[in-house]
Amino acid sequence: MPQLLRVQNFTVSADGIGAGEDQTLERPFGHLNPGEMFAWAGATASWPNRTDPGGTRGLDDYFTRDFTHNIGAEIMGRNKFGPQRGPWQDHEWQGWWGDEPPFRTPVFVMTHHPRPSFTLSDTTFHFVDGPPQRVLELAREAADGKDVRLGGGVTTVRQFLDAGLVDTLHVAVSPVKAHSGLRLWDSPVDLLDRYHLEVVPSPSGVTHHLFWRR
Amino acid sequence: MPQLLRVQNFTVSADGIGAGEDQTLERPFGHLNPGEMFAWAGATASWPNRTDPGGTRGLDDYFTRDFTHNIGAEIMGRNKFGPQRGPWQDHEWQGWWGDEPPFRTPVFVMTHHPRPSFTLSDTTFHFVDGPPQRVLELAREAADGKDVRLGGGVTTVRQFLDAGLVDTLHVAVSPVKAHSGLRLWDSPVDLLDRYHLEVVPSPSGVTHHLFWRR
């Protein structure tokens, strides 16, 4: 079995924007409202942050429960890990996810400013400086034969797409426009020279875009 | 987490028929052509019987790869297990699936004619006589906290639906009519008093019907 690099449940606005402006400690998505952006996933039974029973078990639930399917490691950009820029002032910040991050695998954070690895529950964060190909090699080794998830944000997904390293890409396009912020694409057809595409509208209002290599 | 009873990837014709007439050793689906019925699943990258690399990674692949997701046991009817009727003449027949059945969990075959359990690779077949509620109890115990898949055929799915035991039901409706055979339903709306329903057309031509309890 090949070890795929998969982007999963990556959500953008109707105009292709995946991260807002002015990211802060309080607003990981900047001016974008994550409650609105991720409402499609939050409504499902398999949403990892769900605290009550219930939730939908229709189409969107297949996507939320596939998040961990055959995944052995995650790669993320530094801006997904935290709002800090430049050299670390201290190592107190351990990500947005509290004591039990939902990844439950090794996570490789791409940054020019390395710091020591640390473990929270089943997730170990490593900090690596290197080109996408090298980071992917490290993640594949750690994934123990399983696939690697490319977690975002926008800049990181673009870097790996531009390097030709992404095997499958699932983007949920929300019905709401963001107007400004970091853009994943001008249009999904930008990728059609290299990928097959299926467009699947969900009753929740998002439109799932499923890409895989030609 | 509740242990769900899930019907997965159950395929019927456009007129609701899931098993053909005149099942034999050579024709497990009777007069229906399984190659045609299951073409939607066979085309995907995650189809368990795939021998070559490749295959699609769009919508239908989510369904084929979800087949094993959090499943700890399967329940099937005797007609899914084999074409024999009445008391076993011998115990030579071990199912349609060869030395490596795709279930990889305990499987409970419902029959009035018990026989000894046996194991093929990661799959152990047990033969149990009892009402659906009792068989489900046994399967839940064996599933070790995971969900139980209800594998079919039509008669068995109907029995468990009628007993109110099915939590989620995924039916792929093929575009081709069968005209005769065992019918799962007159129409999917028959179940709407008890289930939510999402209807998701796939580019492959099948229409996925996703039911979950109200």
Side-chain angles (χ1 to χ4, degrees), chain A residues 6-12 40 60 62-64 66 166 168-173 184-185 198 200 206-212, chain B residues 62 65:
Chain A
R6 294 157 50 191
V7 176
Q8 309 240 120
N9 301 353
F10 196 76
T11 302
V12 302
W40 71 270
D60 292 340
Y62 276 83
F63 292 100
T64 54
D66 195 68
V166 175
T168 69
L169 175 73
H170 163 225
V171 181
V173 179
L184 178 65
W185 56 40
E198 281 182 13
V200 184
V206 297
T207 305
H208 297 288
H209 288 63
L210 309 174
F211 299 87
W212 71 101
Chain B
Y62 276 82
R65 72 197 197 218

PDB file of all heavy atoms in Angstrom, chain A residues 6-12 40 60 62-64 66 166 168-173 184-185 198 200 206-212, chain B residues 62 65:
ATOM      1  N   ARG A   6      -2.560  13.181   2.579  1.00  0.00           N
ATOM      2  CA  ARG A   6      -3.985  13.520   2.429  1.00  0.00           C
ATOM      3  C   ARG A   6      -4.334  14.812   3.160  1.00  0.00           C
ATOM      4  O   ARG A   6      -4.004  14.978   4.334  1.00  0.00           O
ATOM      5  CB  ARG A   6      -4.841  12.390   3.014  1.00  0.00           C
ATOM      6  CG  ARG A   6      -4.729  11.079   2.264  1.00  0.00           C
ATOM      7  CD  ARG A   6      -5.104   9.865   3.122  1.00  0.00           C
ATOM      8  NE  ARG A   6      -6.376   9.993   3.816  1.00  0.00           N
ATOM      9  CZ  ARG A   6      -6.807   9.172   4.775  1.00  0.00           C
ATOM     10  NH1 ARG A   6      -6.049   8.154   5.177  1.00  0.00           N
ATOM     11  NH2 ARG A   6      -7.969   9.359   5.344  1.00  0.00           N
ATOM     12  N   VAL A   7      -5.017  15.705   2.467  1.00  0.00           N
ATOM     13  CA  VAL A   7      -5.621  16.869   3.114  1.00  0.00           C
ATOM     14  C   VAL A   7      -7.072  16.494   3.385  1.00  0.00           C
ATOM     15  O   VAL A   7      -7.774  16.026   2.488  1.00  0.00           O
ATOM     16  CB  VAL A   7      -5.558  18.118   2.206  1.00  0.00           C
ATOM     17  CG1 VAL A   7      -6.277  19.281   2.852  1.00  0.00           C
ATOM     18  CG2 VAL A   7      -4.105  18.473   1.896  1.00  0.00           C
ATOM     19  N   GLN A   8      -7.526  16.678   4.641  1.00  0.00           N
ATOM     20  CA  GLN A   8      -8.845  16.180   5.034  1.00  0.00           C
ATOM     21  C   GLN A   8      -9.645  17.272   5.733  1.00  0.00           C
ATOM     22  O   GLN A   8      -9.132  17.899   6.657  1.00  0.00           O
ATOM     23  CB  GLN A   8      -8.671  15.054   6.059  1.00  0.00           C
ATOM     24  CG  GLN A   8      -7.718  13.971   5.662  1.00  0.00           C
ATOM     25  CD  GLN A   8      -8.415  12.640   5.600  1.00  0.00           C
ATOM     26  OE1 GLN A   8      -8.443  12.030   4.550  1.00  0.00           O
ATOM     27  NE2 GLN A   8      -9.009  12.211   6.678  1.00  0.00           N
ATOM     28  N   ASN A   9     -10.889  17.444   5.316  1.00  0.00           N
ATOM     29  CA  ASN A   9     -11.813  18.337   6.033  1.00  0.00           C
ATOM     30  C   ASN A   9     -11.298  19.770   6.082  1.00  0.00           C
ATOM     31  O   ASN A   9     -11.556  20.490   7.038  1.00  0.00           O
ATOM     32  CB  ASN A   9     -12.046  17.840   7.474  1.00  0.00           C
ATOM     33  CG  ASN A   9     -12.625  16.440   7.518  1.00  0.00           C
ATOM     34  OD1 ASN A   9     -12.969  15.875   6.479  1.00  0.00           O
ATOM     35  ND2 ASN A   9     -12.742  15.883   8.692  1.00  0.00           N
ATOM     36  N   PHE A  10     -10.544  20.161   5.058  1.00  0.00           N
ATOM     37  CA  PHE A  10     -10.019  21.521   5.019  1.00  0.00           C
ATOM     38  C   PHE A  10     -11.149  22.436   4.541  1.00  0.00           C
ATOM     39  O   PHE A  10     -11.702  22.240   3.465  1.00  0.00           O
ATOM     40  CB  PHE A  10      -8.818  21.590   4.069  1.00  0.00           C
ATOM     41  CG  PHE A  10      -7.999  22.817   4.264  1.00  0.00           C
ATOM     42  CD1 PHE A  10      -7.139  22.915   5.341  1.00  0.00           C
ATOM     43  CD2 PHE A  10      -8.103  23.884   3.391  1.00  0.00           C
ATOM     44  CE1 PHE A  10      -6.381  24.059   5.544  1.00  0.00           C
ATOM     45  CE2 PHE A  10      -7.367  25.037   3.589  1.00  0.00           C
ATOM     46  CZ  PHE A  10      -6.503  25.126   4.675  1.00  0.00           C
ATOM     47  N   THR A  11     -11.505  23.420   5.371  1.00  0.00           N
ATOM     48  CA  THR A  11     -12.694  24.225   5.080  1.00  0.00           C
ATOM     49  C   THR A  11     -12.303  25.613   4.605  1.00  0.00           C
ATOM     50  O   THR A  11     -11.454  26.266   5.214  1.00  0.00           O
ATOM     51  CB  THR A  11     -13.574  24.302   6.340  1.00  0.00           C
ATOM     52  OG1 THR A  11     -13.928  22.967   6.748  1.00  0.00           O
ATOM     53  CG2 THR A  11     -14.860  25.069   6.057  1.00  0.00           C
ATOM     54  N   VAL A  12     -12.886  26.040   3.497  1.00  0.00           N
ATOM     55  CA  VAL A  12     -12.663  27.401   3.003  1.00  0.00           C
ATOM     56  C   VAL A  12     -14.012  28.081   2.788  1.00  0.00           C
ATOM     57  O   VAL A  12     -15.057  27.428   2.704  1.00  0.00           O
ATOM     58  CB  VAL A  12     -11.850  27.428   1.686  1.00  0.00           C
ATOM     59  CG1 VAL A  12     -10.489  26.747   1.857  1.00  0.00           C
ATOM     60  CG2 VAL A  12     -12.614  26.814   0.522  1.00  0.00           C
ATOM     61  N   TRP A  40     -20.688  22.726   9.669  1.00  0.00           N
ATOM     62  CA  TRP A  40     -21.026  21.453   8.991  1.00  0.00           C
ATOM     63  C   TRP A  40     -20.435  20.269   9.747  1.00  0.00           C
ATOM     64  O   TRP A  40     -21.085  19.232   9.874  1.00  0.00           O
ATOM     65  CB  TRP A  40     -20.535  21.478   7.538  1.00  0.00           C
ATOM     66  CG  TRP A  40     -19.040  21.391   7.370  1.00  0.00           C
ATOM     67  CD1 TRP A  40     -18.159  22.434   7.330  1.00  0.00           C
ATOM     68  CD2 TRP A  40     -18.251  20.202   7.246  1.00  0.00           C
ATOM     69  NE1 TRP A  40     -16.873  21.959   7.176  1.00  0.00           N
ATOM     70  CE2 TRP A  40     -16.895  20.597   7.116  1.00  0.00           C
ATOM     71  CE3 TRP A  40     -18.549  18.829   7.229  1.00  0.00           C
ATOM     72  CZ2 TRP A  40     -15.851  19.685   6.978  1.00  0.00           C
ATOM     73  CZ3 TRP A  40     -17.507  17.922   7.084  1.00  0.00           C
ATOM     74  CH2 TRP A  40     -16.168  18.364   6.963  1.00  0.00           C
ATOM     75  N   ASP A  60     -22.015  14.308   5.896  1.00  0.00           N
ATOM     76  CA  ASP A  60     -20.921  15.037   6.552  1.00  0.00           C
ATOM     77  C   ASP A  60     -20.238  14.199   7.619  1.00  0.00           C
ATOM     78  O   ASP A  60     -19.042  14.365   7.882  1.00  0.00           O
ATOM     79  CB  ASP A  60     -21.444  16.340   7.183  1.00  0.00           C
ATOM     80  CG  ASP A  60     -21.891  17.353   6.134  1.00  0.00           C
ATOM     81  OD1 ASP A  60     -21.473  17.245   4.967  1.00  0.00           O
ATOM     82  OD2 ASP A  60     -22.679  18.252   6.491  1.00  0.00           O
ATOM     83  N   TYR A  62     -19.527  11.059   7.435  1.00  0.00           N
ATOM     84  CA  TYR A  62     -18.496  10.223   6.807  1.00  0.00           C
ATOM     85  C   TYR A  62     -17.167  10.971   6.748  1.00  0.00           C
ATOM     86  O   TYR A  62     -16.098  10.394   6.939  1.00  0.00           O
ATOM     87  CB  TYR A  62     -18.916   9.793   5.398  1.00  0.00           C
ATOM     88  CG  TYR A  62     -19.805   8.574   5.409  1.00  0.00           C
ATOM     89  CD1 TYR A  62     -21.171   8.685   5.634  1.00  0.00           C
ATOM     90  CD2 TYR A  62     -19.275   7.300   5.214  1.00  0.00           C
ATOM     91  CE1 TYR A  62     -21.989   7.567   5.656  1.00  0.00           C
ATOM     92  CE2 TYR A  62     -20.080   6.177   5.237  1.00  0.00           C
ATOM     93  CZ  TYR A  62     -21.440   6.315   5.458  1.00  0.00           C
ATOM     94  OH  TYR A  62     -22.234   5.205   5.494  1.00  0.00           O
ATOM     95  N   PHE A  63     -17.236  12.270   6.477  1.00  0.00           N
ATOM     96  CA  PHE A  63     -16.003  13.052   6.400  1.00  0.00           C
ATOM     97  C   PHE A  63     -15.388  13.259   7.779  1.00  0.00           C
ATOM     98  O   PHE A  63     -14.182  13.120   7.947  1.00  0.00           O
ATOM     99  CB  PHE A  63     -16.257  14.390   5.695  1.00  0.00           C
ATOM    100  CG  PHE A  63     -16.582  14.204   4.241  1.00  0.00           C
ATOM    101  CD1 PHE A  63     -17.888  14.251   3.782  1.00  0.00           C
ATOM    102  CD2 PHE A  63     -15.568  13.927   3.337  1.00  0.00           C
ATOM    103  CE1 PHE A  63     -18.185  14.037   2.436  1.00  0.00           C
ATOM    104  CE2 PHE A  63     -15.851  13.712   1.988  1.00  0.00           C
ATOM    105  CZ  PHE A  63     -17.165  13.773   1.539  1.00  0.00           C
ATOM    106  N   THR A  64     -16.196  13.573   8.772  1.00  0.00           N
ATOM    107  CA  THR A  64     -15.592  13.801  10.091  1.00  0.00           C
ATOM    108  C   THR A  64     -15.013  12.499  10.645  1.00  0.00           C
ATOM    109  O   THR A  64     -13.944  12.507  11.250  1.00  0.00           O
ATOM    110  CB  THR A  64     -16.564  14.449  11.103  1.00  0.00           C
ATOM    111  OG1 THR A  64     -17.753  13.678  11.202  1.00  0.00           O
ATOM    112  CG2 THR A  64     -16.923  15.859  10.682  1.00  0.00           C
ATOM    113  N   ASP A  66     -13.798  10.030   8.919  1.00  0.00           N
ATOM    114  CA  ASP A  66     -12.649   9.592   8.124  1.00  0.00           C
ATOM    115  C   ASP A  66     -11.359  10.337   8.512  1.00  0.00           C
ATOM    116  O   ASP A  66     -10.268   9.968   8.079  1.00  0.00           O
ATOM    117  CB  ASP A  66     -12.939   9.815   6.639  1.00  0.00           C
ATOM    118  CG  ASP A  66     -11.964   9.058   5.741  1.00  0.00           C
ATOM    119  OD1 ASP A  66     -12.028   7.819   5.736  1.00  0.00           O
ATOM    120  OD2 ASP A  66     -11.134   9.708   5.077  1.00  0.00           O
ATOM    121  N   VAL A 166       0.940  16.329  -2.748  1.00  0.00           N
ATOM    122  CA  VAL A 166      -0.379  15.982  -2.183  1.00  0.00           C
ATOM    123  C   VAL A 166      -1.044  14.914  -3.053  1.00  0.00           C
ATOM    124  O   VAL A 166      -1.166  15.086  -4.265  1.00  0.00           O
ATOM    125  CB  VAL A 166      -1.269  17.244  -2.100  1.00  0.00           C
ATOM    126  CG1 VAL A 166      -2.672  16.875  -1.630  1.00  0.00           C
ATOM    127  CG2 VAL A 166      -0.633  18.278  -1.182  1.00  0.00           C
ATOM    128  N   THR A 168      -4.272  13.235  -2.111  1.00  0.00           N
ATOM    129  CA  THR A 168      -5.719  13.485  -2.119  1.00  0.00           C
ATOM    130  C   THR A 168      -5.996  14.742  -1.302  1.00  0.00           C
ATOM    131  O   THR A 168      -5.281  15.055  -0.340  1.00  0.00           O
ATOM    132  CB  THR A 168      -6.533  12.313  -1.519  1.00  0.00           C
ATOM    133  OG1 THR A 168      -6.280  12.238  -0.115  1.00  0.00           O
ATOM    134  CG2 THR A 168      -6.207  10.994  -2.185  1.00  0.00           C
ATOM    135  N   LEU A 169      -7.042  15.440  -1.703  1.00  0.00           N
ATOM    136  CA  LEU A 169      -7.352  16.750  -1.111  1.00  0.00           C
ATOM    137  C   LEU A 169      -8.865  16.843  -0.967  1.00  0.00           C
ATOM    138  O   LEU A 169      -9.586  16.754  -1.969  1.00  0.00           O
ATOM    139  CB  LEU A 169      -6.834  17.825  -2.067  1.00  0.00           C
ATOM    140  CG  LEU A 169      -7.106  19.296  -1.780  1.00  0.00           C
ATOM    141  CD1 LEU A 169      -6.235  19.772  -0.620  1.00  0.00           C
ATOM    142  CD2 LEU A 169      -6.810  20.154  -3.017  1.00  0.00           C
ATOM    143  N   HIS A 170      -9.331  16.943   0.266  1.00  0.00           N
ATOM    144  CA  HIS A 170     -10.758  17.142   0.516  1.00  0.00           C
ATOM    145  C   HIS A 170     -10.959  18.553   1.049  1.00  0.00           C
ATOM    146  O   HIS A 170     -10.450  18.887   2.128  1.00  0.00           O
ATOM    147  CB  HIS A 170     -11.278  16.120   1.531  1.00  0.00           C
ATOM    148  CG  HIS A 170     -12.598  16.516   2.133  1.00  0.00           C
ATOM    149  ND1 HIS A 170     -12.862  16.427   3.478  1.00  0.00           N
ATOM    150  CD2 HIS A 170     -13.716  17.029   1.570  1.00  0.00           C
ATOM    151  CE1 HIS A 170     -14.089  16.869   3.716  1.00  0.00           C
ATOM    152  NE2 HIS A 170     -14.627  17.240   2.587  1.00  0.00           N
ATOM    153  N   VAL A 171     -11.674  19.369   0.311  1.00  0.00           N
ATOM    154  CA  VAL A 171     -11.942  20.742   0.731  1.00  0.00           C
ATOM    155  C   VAL A 171     -13.452  20.911   0.847  1.00  0.00           C
ATOM    156  O   VAL A 171     -14.191  20.640  -0.109  1.00  0.00           O
ATOM    157  CB  VAL A 171     -11.374  21.761  -0.280  1.00  0.00           C
ATOM    158  CG1 VAL A 171     -11.648  23.186   0.187  1.00  0.00           C
ATOM    159  CG2 VAL A 171      -9.873  21.544  -0.480  1.00  0.00           C
ATOM    160  N   ALA A 172     -13.912  21.356   2.013  1.00  0.00           N
ATOM    161  CA  ALA A 172     -15.330  21.666   2.208  1.00  0.00           C
ATOM    162  C   ALA A 172     -15.499  23.166   1.976  1.00  0.00           C
ATOM    163  O   ALA A 172     -14.893  23.970   2.682  1.00  0.00           O
ATOM    164  CB  ALA A 172     -15.755  21.291   3.626  1.00  0.00           C
ATOM    165  N   VAL A 173     -16.281  23.513   0.957  1.00  0.00           N
ATOM    166  CA  VAL A 173     -16.480  24.922   0.642  1.00  0.00           C
ATOM    167  C   VAL A 173     -17.768  25.391   1.303  1.00  0.00           C
ATOM    168  O   VAL A 173     -18.855  24.873   1.020  1.00  0.00           O
ATOM    169  CB  VAL A 173     -16.533  25.154  -0.883  1.00  0.00           C
ATOM    170  CG1 VAL A 173     -16.773  26.634  -1.189  1.00  0.00           C
ATOM    171  CG2 VAL A 173     -15.234  24.688  -1.535  1.00  0.00           C
ATOM    172  N   LEU A 184      -6.870  29.816  -0.645  1.00  0.00           N
ATOM    173  CA  LEU A 184      -6.357  28.517  -1.104  1.00  0.00           C
ATOM    174  C   LEU A 184      -6.284  28.487  -2.621  1.00  0.00           C
ATOM    175  O   LEU A 184      -5.356  27.934  -3.205  1.00  0.00           O
ATOM    176  CB  LEU A 184      -7.256  27.391  -0.588  1.00  0.00           C
ATOM    177  CG  LEU A 184      -6.855  25.980  -1.025  1.00  0.00           C
ATOM    178  CD1 LEU A 184      -5.506  25.586  -0.427  1.00  0.00           C
ATOM    179  CD2 LEU A 184      -7.920  24.956  -0.628  1.00  0.00           C
ATOM    180  N   TRP A 185      -7.306  29.047  -3.270  1.00  0.00           N
ATOM    181  CA  TRP A 185      -7.347  29.036  -4.736  1.00  0.00           C
ATOM    182  C   TRP A 185      -8.225  30.164  -5.231  1.00  0.00           C
ATOM    183  O   TRP A 185      -9.018  30.730  -4.461  1.00  0.00           O
ATOM    184  CB  TRP A 185      -7.877  27.693  -5.247  1.00  0.00           C
ATOM    185  CG  TRP A 185      -9.253  27.297  -4.714  1.00  0.00           C
ATOM    186  CD1 TRP A 185     -10.352  28.103  -4.508  1.00  0.00           C
ATOM    187  CD2 TRP A 185      -9.668  25.986  -4.315  1.00  0.00           C
ATOM    188  NE1 TRP A 185     -11.405  27.379  -4.023  1.00  0.00           N
ATOM    189  CE2 TRP A 185     -11.016  26.068  -3.904  1.00  0.00           C
ATOM    190  CE3 TRP A 185      -9.025  24.731  -4.298  1.00  0.00           C
ATOM    191  CZ2 TRP A 185     -11.738  24.961  -3.462  1.00  0.00           C
ATOM    192  CZ3 TRP A 185      -9.764  23.650  -3.863  1.00  0.00           C
ATOM    193  CH2 TRP A 185     -11.089  23.759  -3.437  1.00  0.00           C
ATOM    194  N   GLU A 198     -14.327  15.451  -7.838  1.00  0.00           N
ATOM    195  CA  GLU A 198     -15.773  15.245  -7.685  1.00  0.00           C
ATOM    196  C   GLU A 198     -16.313  16.327  -6.762  1.00  0.00           C
ATOM    197  O   GLU A 198     -15.710  16.612  -5.716  1.00  0.00           O
ATOM    198  CB  GLU A 198     -16.074  13.866  -7.077  1.00  0.00           C
ATOM    199  CG  GLU A 198     -15.980  12.750  -8.091  1.00  0.00           C
ATOM    200  CD  GLU A 198     -16.332  11.378  -7.525  1.00  0.00           C
ATOM    201  OE1 GLU A 198     -16.897  11.311  -6.407  1.00  0.00           O
ATOM    202  OE2 GLU A 198     -16.049  10.378  -8.195  1.00  0.00           O
ATOM    203  N   VAL A 200     -19.453  17.378  -4.457  1.00  0.00           N
ATOM    204  CA  VAL A 200     -20.591  16.722  -3.807  1.00  0.00           C
ATOM    205  C   VAL A 200     -21.266  17.701  -2.852  1.00  0.00           C
ATOM    206  O   VAL A 200     -20.750  18.001  -1.779  1.00  0.00           O
ATOM    207  CB  VAL A 200     -20.127  15.473  -3.017  1.00  0.00           C
ATOM    208  CG1 VAL A 200     -21.322  14.739  -2.427  1.00  0.00           C
ATOM    209  CG2 VAL A 200     -19.298  14.538  -3.899  1.00  0.00           C
ATOM    210  N   VAL A 206     -22.553  23.018   2.877  1.00  0.00           N
ATOM    211  CA  VAL A 206     -21.201  23.012   2.314  1.00  0.00           C
ATOM    212  C   VAL A 206     -21.175  22.140   1.061  1.00  0.00           C
ATOM    213  O   VAL A 206     -22.055  21.298   0.854  1.00  0.00           O
ATOM    214  CB  VAL A 206     -20.123  22.475   3.295  1.00  0.00           C
ATOM    215  CG1 VAL A 206     -20.002  23.361   4.521  1.00  0.00           C
ATOM    216  CG2 VAL A 206     -20.367  21.032   3.679  1.00  0.00           C
ATOM    217  N   THR A 207     -20.161  22.377   0.244  1.00  0.00           N
ATOM    218  CA  THR A 207     -19.972  21.557  -0.952  1.00  0.00           C
ATOM    219  C   THR A 207     -18.609  20.882  -0.842  1.00  0.00           C
ATOM    220  O   THR A 207     -17.587  21.558  -0.781  1.00  0.00           O
ATOM    221  CB  THR A 207     -20.044  22.429  -2.214  1.00  0.00           C
ATOM    222  OG1 THR A 207     -21.284  23.141  -2.197  1.00  0.00           O
ATOM    223  CG2 THR A 207     -19.993  21.571  -3.466  1.00  0.00           C
ATOM    224  N   HIS A 208     -18.631  19.554  -0.762  1.00  0.00           N
ATOM    225  CA  HIS A 208     -17.372  18.820  -0.621  1.00  0.00           C
ATOM    226  C   HIS A 208     -16.695  18.713  -1.980  1.00  0.00           C
ATOM    227  O   HIS A 208     -17.337  18.346  -2.973  1.00  0.00           O
ATOM    228  CB  HIS A 208     -17.633  17.428  -0.052  1.00  0.00           C
ATOM    229  CG  HIS A 208     -18.220  17.465   1.327  1.00  0.00           C
ATOM    230  ND1 HIS A 208     -17.485  17.836   2.421  1.00  0.00           N
ATOM    231  CD2 HIS A 208     -19.479  17.239   1.777  1.00  0.00           C
ATOM    232  CE1 HIS A 208     -18.262  17.812   3.498  1.00  0.00           C
ATOM    233  NE2 HIS A 208     -19.476  17.456   3.134  1.00  0.00           N
ATOM    234  N   HIS A 209     -15.409  19.053  -2.010  1.00  0.00           N
ATOM    235  CA  HIS A 209     -14.602  18.932  -3.221  1.00  0.00           C
ATOM    236  C   HIS A 209     -13.562  17.846  -2.960  1.00  0.00           C
ATOM    237  O   HIS A 209     -12.760  17.972  -2.044  1.00  0.00           O
ATOM    238  CB  HIS A 209     -13.911  20.257  -3.539  1.00  0.00           C
ATOM    239  CG  HIS A 209     -14.845  21.312  -4.050  1.00  0.00           C
ATOM    240  ND1 HIS A 209     -15.890  21.827  -3.313  1.00  0.00           N
ATOM    241  CD2 HIS A 209     -14.894  21.937  -5.258  1.00  0.00           C
ATOM    242  CE1 HIS A 209     -16.539  22.726  -4.039  1.00  0.00           C
ATOM    243  NE2 HIS A 209     -15.962  22.818  -5.212  1.00  0.00           N
ATOM    244  N   LEU A 210     -13.607  16.797  -3.760  1.00  0.00           N
ATOM    245  CA  LEU A 210     -12.716  15.651  -3.563  1.00  0.00           C
ATOM    246  C   LEU A 210     -11.764  15.548  -4.754  1.00  0.00           C
ATOM    247  O   LEU A 210     -12.201  15.304  -5.881  1.00  0.00           O
ATOM    248  CB  LEU A 210     -13.536  14.365  -3.443  1.00  0.00           C
ATOM    249  CG  LEU A 210     -14.676  14.416  -2.419  1.00  0.00           C
ATOM    250  CD1 LEU A 210     -15.510  13.147  -2.475  1.00  0.00           C
ATOM    251  CD2 LEU A 210     -14.113  14.635  -1.031  1.00  0.00           C
ATOM    252  N   PHE A 211     -10.492  15.759  -4.479  1.00  0.00           N
ATOM    253  CA  PHE A 211      -9.461  15.707  -5.525  1.00  0.00           C
ATOM    254  C   PHE A 211      -8.584  14.488  -5.302  1.00  0.00           C
ATOM    255  O   PHE A 211      -8.229  14.176  -4.163  1.00  0.00           O
ATOM    256  CB  PHE A 211      -8.536  16.930  -5.433  1.00  0.00           C
ATOM    257  CG  PHE A 211      -9.202  18.264  -5.613  1.00  0.00           C
ATOM    258  CD1 PHE A 211      -9.773  18.923  -4.519  1.00  0.00           C
ATOM    259  CD2 PHE A 211      -9.225  18.876  -6.857  1.00  0.00           C
ATOM    260  CE1 PHE A 211     -10.366  20.172  -4.683  1.00  0.00           C
ATOM    261  CE2 PHE A 211      -9.808  20.127  -7.022  1.00  0.00           C
ATOM    262  CZ  PHE A 211     -10.386  20.776  -5.930  1.00  0.00           C
ATOM    263  N   TRP A 212      -8.213  13.826  -6.373  1.00  0.00           N
ATOM    264  CA  TRP A 212      -7.153  12.811  -6.288  1.00  0.00           C
ATOM    265  C   TRP A 212      -6.356  12.853  -7.578  1.00  0.00           C
ATOM    266  O   TRP A 212      -6.845  13.277  -8.607  1.00  0.00           O
ATOM    267  CB  TRP A 212      -7.712  11.427  -5.963  1.00  0.00           C
ATOM    268  CG  TRP A 212      -8.503  10.732  -7.035  1.00  0.00           C
ATOM    269  CD1 TRP A 212      -8.087   9.743  -7.878  1.00  0.00           C
ATOM    270  CD2 TRP A 212      -9.908  10.954  -7.370  1.00  0.00           C
ATOM    271  NE1 TRP A 212      -9.111   9.347  -8.707  1.00  0.00           N
ATOM    272  CE2 TRP A 212     -10.230  10.069  -8.425  1.00  0.00           C
ATOM    273  CE3 TRP A 212     -10.904  11.821  -6.893  1.00  0.00           C
ATOM    274  CZ2 TRP A 212     -11.512  10.033  -9.002  1.00  0.00           C
ATOM    275  CZ3 TRP A 212     -12.169  11.778  -7.468  1.00  0.00           C
ATOM    276  CH2 TRP A 212     -12.460  10.896  -8.505  1.00  0.00           C
TER     277      TRP A 212
ATOM    278  N   TYR B  62     -15.103   6.852  -0.049  1.00  0.00           N
ATOM    279  CA  TYR B  62     -15.387   7.057   1.383  1.00  0.00           C
ATOM    280  C   TYR B  62     -16.263   5.926   1.918  1.00  0.00           C
ATOM    281  O   TYR B  62     -16.086   5.470   3.047  1.00  0.00           O
ATOM    282  CB  TYR B  62     -16.072   8.406   1.624  1.00  0.00           C
ATOM    283  CG  TYR B  62     -15.082   9.549   1.723  1.00  0.00           C
ATOM    284  CD1 TYR B  62     -14.572  10.152   0.586  1.00  0.00           C
ATOM    285  CD2 TYR B  62     -14.635  10.000   2.961  1.00  0.00           C
ATOM    286  CE1 TYR B  62     -13.648  11.187   0.662  1.00  0.00           C
ATOM    287  CE2 TYR B  62     -13.719  11.032   3.060  1.00  0.00           C
ATOM    288  CZ  TYR B  62     -13.229  11.630   1.910  1.00  0.00           C
ATOM    289  OH  TYR B  62     -12.315  12.634   2.010  1.00  0.00           O
ATOM    290  N   ARG B  65     -14.170   2.561   2.060  1.00  0.00           N
ATOM    291  CA  ARG B  65     -13.182   2.490   3.137  1.00  0.00           C
ATOM    292  C   ARG B  65     -13.802   2.606   4.523  1.00  0.00           C
ATOM    293  O   ARG B  65     -13.176   2.244   5.518  1.00  0.00           O
ATOM    294  CB  ARG B  65     -12.054   3.496   2.937  1.00  0.00           C
ATOM    295  CG  ARG B  65     -12.370   4.937   3.165  1.00  0.00           C
ATOM    296  CD  ARG B  65     -11.248   5.754   2.512  1.00  0.00           C
ATOM    297  NE  ARG B  65     -11.183   7.115   2.958  1.00  0.00           N
ATOM    298  CZ  ARG B  65     -10.890   8.143   2.168  1.00  0.00           C
ATOM    299  NH1 ARG B  65     -10.666   7.955   0.885  1.00  0.00           N
ATOM    300  NH2 ARG B  65     -10.829   9.356   2.643  1.00  0.00           N
TER     301      ARG B  65
END
